[in-house]
């Protein structure tokens, strides 16, 4: 521990004054001199204590204060490099939304788009997916269960893009009629997976529903049965 420097000559002057007051006296200093000498000695001691105490406090403050360089992990700003590609999209997954940058399989039940599907539909899709893998095909769920609010947003966007409700309805059902809202429809991608399911879906009871949507499937027959004729579009 380092102590602050005492100004040069301070202690010398104190003791020189003391010596001058007592020099030449063989009988001892007079009462006034004794009081003055006591004051000087006491003052010197107090000054020394003050300097030492101040130095100690300063040293403690300097050594106990954390610096940015010495800050622990909790004190340093950090950036996350975690790959969140397959993590749920906070808040939006409650609507059944699947962001475009996510890869979702029929087994990713932390997405409500998958977990809230009709159990029989999901079971059939998983069985088809397992068999498709033998042909080098992997299913991706591009849409599944949707909330009414999410379905309405999709319809509103379609109206804006196509100019009218009538045109939008050819691609997007209303919340009242949507089988996605009921959990009874699933959209499968990419194109090779959708094409495989168009050809083999009836083996699992899965049927393409609309002629203009090769990715949209519903459980409309028993396994190995015959799918109903295609509707032209979602408007019926």
């Amino acid at each position: 521990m380092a102590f602050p420097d005492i100004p040069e000559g301070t202690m010398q002057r104190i003791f020189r004054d003391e010596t001058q007051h007592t020099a030449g006296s063989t009988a001892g200093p007079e009462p006034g001199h004794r009081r003055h000498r006591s004051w000087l000695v006491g003052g010197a001691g107090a000054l020394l204590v003050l300097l030492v105490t101040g130095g100690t406090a300063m040293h403690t403050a300097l050594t106990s204060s954390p610096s940015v360089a010495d800050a622990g992990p909790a004190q340093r700003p950090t950036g996350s490099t975690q790959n969140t590609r397959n993590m749920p999209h906070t808040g939006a997954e409650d609507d059944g939304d699947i962001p475009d940058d996510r890869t979702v399989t029929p087994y990713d039940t932390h997405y409500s788009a998958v977990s809230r599907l009709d159990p029989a539909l999901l079971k059939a899709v998983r069985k088809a997916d397992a068999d498709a893998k033998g042909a080098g095909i992997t299913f991706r769920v591009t849409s599944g269960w949707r909330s009414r609010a999410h379905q309405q947003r999709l319809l509103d966007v379609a109206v804006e893009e196509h100019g009218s409700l009538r045109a939008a309805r050819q691609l997007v059902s209303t919340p009242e009629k949507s089988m996605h809202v009921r959990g009874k429809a699933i959209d499968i991608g990419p194109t090779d997976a959708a094409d495989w399911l168009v050809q083999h879906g009836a083996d699992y009871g899965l049927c393409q529903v609309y002629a203009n949507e090769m990715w949209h499937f519903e459980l409309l027959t028993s396994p190995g049965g015959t799918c109903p004729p295609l509707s032209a579009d979602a408007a019926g």
Side-chain angles (χ1 to χ4, degrees):
M1 177 181 69
F3 294 100
D5 295 335
I6 299 176
E8 184 178 358
T10 300
M11 298 304 295
Q12 290 89 333
R13 285 194 298 274
I14 291 174
F15 288 104
R16 183 176 64 246
D17 292 342
E18 161 65 7
T19 302
Q20 288 175 351
H21 278 285
T22 58
S25 175
T26 58
E30 296 179 359
H33 288 170
R34 284 195 300 270
R35 287 193 301 271
H36 186 57
R37 179 175 61 187
S38 298
W39 177 86
L40 288 173
V41 174
L47 177 60
L48 183 59
V49 169
L50 179 62
L51 292 173
V52 170
T53 303
T56 302
M58 183 180 295
H59 175 76
T60 301
L62 290 174
T63 56
S64 62
S65 299
S67 65
V68 174
D70 294 332
Q75 296 171 288
R76 292 174 178 157
T78 59
S80 175
T81 58
Q82 181 181 10
N83 181 1
T84 59
R85 179 178 176 81
N86 290 311
M87 295 297 289
H89 185 57
T90 305
E93 75 272 10
D94 293 334
D95 265 350
D97 178 47
I98 298 178
D100 292 338
D101 64 343
R102 305 296 170 89
T103 298
V104 178
T105 75
Y107 301 92
D108 290 330
T109 53
H110 52 277
Y111 288 93
S112 60
V114 176
S115 64
R116 298 187 66 171
L117 285 171
D118 175 73
L121 171 63
L122 184 56
K123 180 179 180 180
V125 170
R126 287 177 173 175
K127 189 174 189 314
D129 173 64
D131 291 344
K133 280 183 169 62
I137 303 294
T138 300
F139 286 8
R140 295 289 179 261
V141 178
T142 59
S143 189
W145 171 86
R146 300 171 187 162
S147 70
R148 293 176 62 88
H150 181 39
Q151 185 70 28
Q152 185 62 54
R153 284 197 301 271
L154 293 176
L155 182 60
D156 293 342
V157 169
V159 169
E160 184 177 349
E161 290 180 347
H162 298 282
S164 70
L165 177 60
R166 182 177 180 178
R169 283 284 289 105
Q170 296 177 9
L171 296 170
V172 183
S173 294
T174 63
E176 292 75 21
K177 294 186 176 182
S178 173
M179 297 304 287
H180 283 286
V181 172
R182 301 179 191 182
K184 292 184 177 293
I186 190 170
D187 293 351
I188 295 295
T191 302
D192 63 344
D195 184 61
W196 188 94
L197 200 53
V198 166
Q199 297 178 47
H200 303 282
D203 295 338
Y204 310 91
L206 298 167
C207 301
Q208 179 187 359
V209 179
Y210 307 119
N212 67 338
E213 295 184 22
M214 67 176 296
W215 53 83
H216 180 106
F217 296 89
E218 297 175 20
L219 193 63
L220 297 179
T221 188
S222 58
T226 300
C227 289
L230 295 175
S231 298
D233 51 50

